Amino acid sequence: MAYMQAPIETDLYMEIPHGIQTTEVNTKDYVLQLLANIYGQKQAGRVWNQYLVYVLESIGFTQSCIDECIFYRDDIIFIIYIDEGIFLGTSHDQLSCIIKELVDVGLQIEDQGYLTDYIGVNMKWLPDGLYKFS
């Protein structure tokens, strides 16, 4: 997941980066108009969060009232941390369907398999559908 997926909310411009040269114009006289959000923009995180919340709610997820980084739908939990997320559910097929649903509504995400480590926490999926954290 990335900030670039959220729609840009205002016209944004940047200086032409060093190293890009052209023989036709002086790069100091021109700027580039951004067509997508990029990392480092002041508003990129906020815009990305608003967009992600909108998309998740549009497919039936509810944002937690206690922690805004947690969403749930039935027995599926989605945890977001900056621009990385994990889905927790009782079966791999169930999670694959959710990922397909998000791709179908336009998010560019991929299934990276079973979760074993996330931000320094070791996780193991148990056969009964529970998770062990250590």
Side-chain angles (χ1 to χ4, degrees):
M1 302 181 131
Y3 294 159
M4 305 182 323
Q5 294 186 58
I8 202 161
E9 66 180 0
T10 185
D11 289 342
L12 295 171
Y13 300 89
M14 67 179 275
E15 292 178 2
I16 297 176
H18 297 288
I20 295 180
Q21 298 176 354
T22 178
T23 57
E24 300 186 23
V25 296
N26 183 351
T27 57
K28 294 191 185 298
D29 295 335
Y30 290 88
V31 294
L32 300 175
Q33 181 179 13
L34 300 178
L35 301 177
N37 291 301
I38 58 174
Y39 288 93
Q41 288 174 245
K42 289 181 184 178
Q43 70 274 21
R46 179 184 51 78
V47 173
W48 164 244
N49 180 264
Q50 289 173 338
Y51 177 69
L52 184 61
V53 169
Y54 169 78
V55 169
L56 289 170
E57 288 178 344
S58 76
I59 63 166
F61 276 85
T62 302
Q63 190 173 26
S64 169
C65 297
I66 297 175
D67 188 331
E68 295 179 346
C69 297
I70 298 175
F71 297 81
Y72 56 90
R73 184 174 96 178
D74 301 322
D75 59 349
I76 298 170
I77 298 170
F78 177 62
I79 302 168
I80 186 80
Y81 180 73
I82 304 175
D83 66 342
E84 302 267 337
I86 57 173
F87 285 98
L88 303 171
T90 56
S91 77
H92 186 71
D93 291 341
Q94 178 188 45
L95 298 177
S96 294
C97 287
I98 292 295
I99 291 169
K100 182 184 179 322
E101 205 172 333
L102 287 168
V103 169
D104 288 347
V105 296
L107 278 184
Q108 298 172 9
I109 63 172
E110 61 185 52
D111 183 350
Q112 296 184 347
Y114 291 103
L115 183 65
T116 57
D117 181 77
Y118 189 69
I119 58 173
V121 177
N122 293 315
M123 302 174 189
K124 182 177 181 182
W125 185 70
L126 303 174
D128 60 1
L130 299 176
Y131 290 87
K132 178 182 177 183
F133 299 90
S134 57

